[in-house]
Amino acid sequence: MRAAAKRRAALVDLAAGAGFENSFVRDLPADPVLLNVPRQVSNACYTRIEPTPVAAPKLLAWSDALGELLGLSRPGAQAVEALGGNRVLPGMQPYAARYGGHQFGHWAGQLGDGRAITLAEIIATDGSRQELQLKGAGKTPYSRTADGRAVLRSSLREFMCSEAMFHLGVPTTRALSLVGTGEPVIRDMFYDGHPRPEPGAIVCRVAPSFVRFGNFQILAANNELDALKRLADYVIREHFAGHSYADWYQEVCRRTALLMVDWMRLGFVHGVMNTDNLSILGVTIDYGPYGWLEGYDPMWTPNTTDAQGRRYCYGNQPGIAQWNLARLAEALLPLIEREKLEEGLNLYADTFNEAWRRALAQKLGLASPDEELARDLLEALSETETDFTLFFRKLAAVPLNGSDEALLAPLRAAFYVEDAAHERLVAWLRRYVERVRPGGAARAAQMDKVNPKYVFRNYLAQQAIDALEAGDASVLERLMRVLARPYDEQPEHEELAARRPEWARHKAGCSALSCSS
Ligand code: AMP
Ligand code: MG
């Protein structure tokens, strides 16, 4: 313990040494205009901009796990000032990135970091370079008509889910701190014409890069080919060393496919898979109106804005990722031959299909994929409302012999409809136990490593939000501790594994969310 603690430095101390780097700013074309008003920017990858100070920054939460990776100690008052955007430390060169994107299938033109500001990069204890980025830090030239701020509820959701995803083993941006601003933010949460003030907050997000598909798209769309090439060269040099342009694109396709398998295997629904919300590193980025499948339903979306079209529902995610990769391919046509880009899209499909077959086999505790068995289960599950997470977790406990009732008993916790017949599921379970019997007792332990017991269910998020808004951080802190070990039983926290209670079915924030954040 002492040795590790010794290596830790305070954020403010980094400023004294050669602590901060700014490779994005150093290597890429800057917006020559420094005016902080909404405007179209050209021939640039970013605009230099500082956070707008807030009234009373207060540390609400901190990720010890990430702090340790970065070699940072818990922040004192001065560091909290920096994490709230009130102080730019020496050596930091803050910027907002320029990007565009396809939103809900349509080209939306320039978007950009409208409320996110990267402060600087630091070198983590594992040698990796990590950007520190504040979300909700004030207006930038990319804010369009919005205020550059974020509310506490959405910031808490991003902070906690980033870390929960990391502990689940999913590639993701991370979150270091949650800082209350002491300032209200006006939001119309239900889009019903009743805006009201809510507490504001800022998350410090951390990732090797926050570059999205849309950073390339905006340059290609405006025919800024020199900047496009420089951005590609930078991303390859920093994050895909040794790759040709074509190899790099294919690697992005491969990583994105594996990311989709992770989301699908865990029942995670991102909710807004616009091309500006897909990371060039293949990590989960931009936690907004996301959610976790409760009752298994491929058409389910947590995003009320998407309730009509269901473009970003659970079952569409793999197809949408490929559509987004095709838009990225169009942007990269000036750099990469068409055939190579098409190869990448095929690689995406092959990688996804193969890895998804394997993931389903692992979830079922099978030594090799059995597509028919997996498909029939998913069909049976969609018949009566069954909790996706709990079903797979409890499947490990199904006895290999016994009556229908004995087979169903461990799974009861997953059923939202108490007295449903489950005939189809029982028939499936009979086939299943025959199939897994030869594998013996090792099955359960293997399954528990891939089927989490604890996920960041929307109603749990809402409970943490309600408590924190009332000044109580203990709900959040307990959840953070439990979600750091999502595959462990932790019997003392059993109630945090429970399926969504009925009171939460239609409560705002507990089942569906608007984009208002
Ligand atoms: P999102 O759908 O949350 O990914 O946001 C789409 C775009 O809108 C991004 O460019 C964001 O930076 C921007 N944006 C969202 N909310 C705000 C806000 N409150 N202030 C400024 N820009 C915002
Ligand atoms: Mg976004």
Side-chain angles (χ1 to χ4, degrees):
M1 283 299 282
R2 185 164 297 158
K6 255 192 197 159
R7 280 210 319 273
R8 292 221 202 151
L11 188 65
V12 284
D13 293 340
L14 291 182
F20 297 120
E21 301 193 357
N22 301 277
S23 70
F24 194 92
V25 167
R26 184 191 63 214
D27 293 352
L28 293 170
D31 174 9
V33 183
L34 292 176
L35 206 58
N36 190 10
V37 295
R39 56 193 167 84
Q40 294 296 309
V41 172
S42 55
N43 286 305
C45 290
Y46 65 89
T47 302
R48 286 290 312 278
I49 181 89
E50 296 198 350
T52 305
V54 298
K58 179 179 173 215
L59 185 71
L60 300 175
W62 173 260
S63 168
D64 284 314
L66 180 55
E68 217 157 279
L69 173 68
L70 297 178
L72 291 176
S73 51
R74 270 182 173 260
Q78 291 184 358
V80 172
E81 293 275 319
L83 295 168
N86 282 16
R87 157 200 281 257
V88 172
L89 299 173
M92 290 178 162
Q93 297 177 16
Y95 74 89
R98 173 173 175 243
Y99 55 79
H102 281 84
Q103 297 186 315
F104 294 91
H106 304 282
W107 176 243
Q110 177 181 294
L111 300 166
D113 287 331
R115 54 176 168 172
I117 295 178
T118 289
L119 295 176
E121 302 147 6
I122 64 175
I123 305 301
T125 55
D126 65 357
S128 64
R129 188 203 302 269
Q130 304 281 343
E131 276 191 35
L132 305 183
Q133 180 181 82
L134 303 185
K135 182 168 174 179
K139 285 186 188 174
T140 78
Y142 308 99
S143 299
R144 297 176 290 159
T145 58
D147 59 7
R149 295 299 186 191
V151 289
L152 178 62
R153 61 182 155 80
S154 71
S155 301
L156 180 150
R157 284 170 49 86
E158 172 139 24
F159 174 80
M160 290 194 62
C161 201
S162 307
E163 293 303 279
M165 288 287 262
F166 168 76
H167 292 295
L168 284 162
V170 183
T172 179
T173 62
R174 304 284 303 268
L176 180 63
S177 59
L178 176 66
V179 171
T181 60
E183 284 179 11
V185 177
I186 310 290
R187 286 290 181 273
D188 186 356
M189 182 171 164
F190 302 106
Y191 294 129
D192 63 357
H194 293 97
R196 64 175 184 96
E198 298 186 48
I202 295 174
V203 177
C204 179
R205 307 198 287 194
V206 177
S209 171
F210 289 92
V211 170
R212 305 131 191 278
F213 293 5
N215 297 65
F216 296 93
Q217 286 184 289
I218 191 69
L219 301 174
N222 291 358
N223 210 25
E224 298 168 15
L225 301 187
D226 179 54
L228 179 72
K229 185 169 180 307
R230 283 178 66 180
L231 181 60
D233 290 346
Y234 169 81
V235 165
I236 291 173
R237 185 167 64 247
E238 291 294 331
H239 306 290
F240 297 83
H243 287 63
S244 67
Y245 291 135
D247 291 347
W248 159 58
Y249 177 71
Q250 298 201 355
E251 177 62 11
V252 176
C253 290
R254 200 185 65 82
R255 289 191 195 179
T256 305
L258 296 178
L259 181 68
M260 289 308 112
V261 171
D262 270 330
W263 289 3
M264 298 303 282
R265 79 178 175 84
L266 295 166
F268 176 79
V269 188
H270 182 284
V272 205
M273 288 178 69
N274 294 331
T275 56
D276 52 304
N277 289 339
L278 263 84
S279 149
I280 202 70
L281 300 185
V283 305
T284 314
I285 193 171
D286 276 9
Y287 292 88
Y290 65 83
W292 299 83
L293 271 188
E294 285 165 332
Y296 172 76
D297 173 6
M299 294 293 285
W300 184 72
T301 173
N303 182 355
T304 53
T305 313
D306 193 29
Q308 284 291 311
R310 299 193 178 260
R311 178 181 174 86
Y312 298 140
C313 69
Y314 172 73
N316 277 1
Q317 297 188 117
I320 289 291
Q322 193 180 32
W323 189 90
N324 288 348
L325 284 162
R327 304 290 79 73
L328 174 63
E330 287 163 3
L332 298 180
L333 264 172
L335 301 176
I336 304 173
E337 285 167 55
R338 182 177 292 275
E339 297 78 68
K340 294 287 178 195
L341 293 165
E342 278 164 5
E343 273 174 35
L345 291 171
N346 291 332
L347 177 71
Y348 171 86
D350 293 345
T351 306
F352 177 80
N353 289 331
E354 180 52 30
W356 179 227
R357 269 160 30 99
R358 265 188 286 118
L360 281 171
Q362 285 181 336
K363 285 183 83 64
L364 292 172
L366 305 176
S368 60
D370 183 334
E371 268 165 82
E372 210 177 285
L373 194 70
R375 191 190 54 227
D376 291 350
L377 170 63
L378 295 179
E379 273 172 26
L381 284 186
S382 49
E383 273 201 343
T384 50
E385 196 178 7
T386 305
D387 192 88
F388 182 79
T389 302
L390 280 170
F391 178 86
F392 280 100
R393 183 70 182 189
K394 300 288 184 180
L395 187 60
V398 166
L400 297 185
N401 296 291
S403 64
D404 289 359
E405 192 37 52
L407 289 179
L408 283 176
L411 301 168
R412 292 261 170 226
F415 298 145
Y416 284 93
V417 186
E418 298 279 345
D419 47 8
H422 303 298
E423 276 161 27
R424 200 160 164 189
L425 185 59
V426 169
W428 182 87
L429 287 167
R430 293 247 163 256
R431 274 166 67 200
Y432 174 69
V433 292
E434 289 311 316
R435 179 77 165 71
V436 296
R437 185 169 290 120
R443 173 180 64 105
Q446 287 304 321
M447 289 171 77
D448 281 357
K449 287 184 194 157
V450 295
N451 295 320
K453 174 155 177 171
Y454 300 95
V455 296
F456 191 46
R457 294 170 182 272
N458 276 349
Y459 83 88
L460 296 174
Q462 193 57 42
Q463 288 175 330
I465 291 164
D466 290 343
L468 192 61
E469 286 190 355
D472 172 10
S474 68
V475 178
L476 174 161
E477 283 161 6
R478 176 183 176 210
L479 259 175
M480 288 278 284
R481 276 197 306 278
V482 173
L483 293 172
R485 296 161 51 208
Y487 298 99
D488 292 354
E489 273 298 314
Q490 307 185 62
E492 67 279 25
H493 298 296
E494 190 72 31
E495 77 255 32
L496 299 180
R499 66 177 188 262
R500 179 200 58 223
E502 280 310 306
W503 61 258
R505 183 179 287 270
H506 299 295
K507 188 173 185 292
C510 292
S511 53
L513 297 113
S514 73
C515 279
S516 155
S517 61

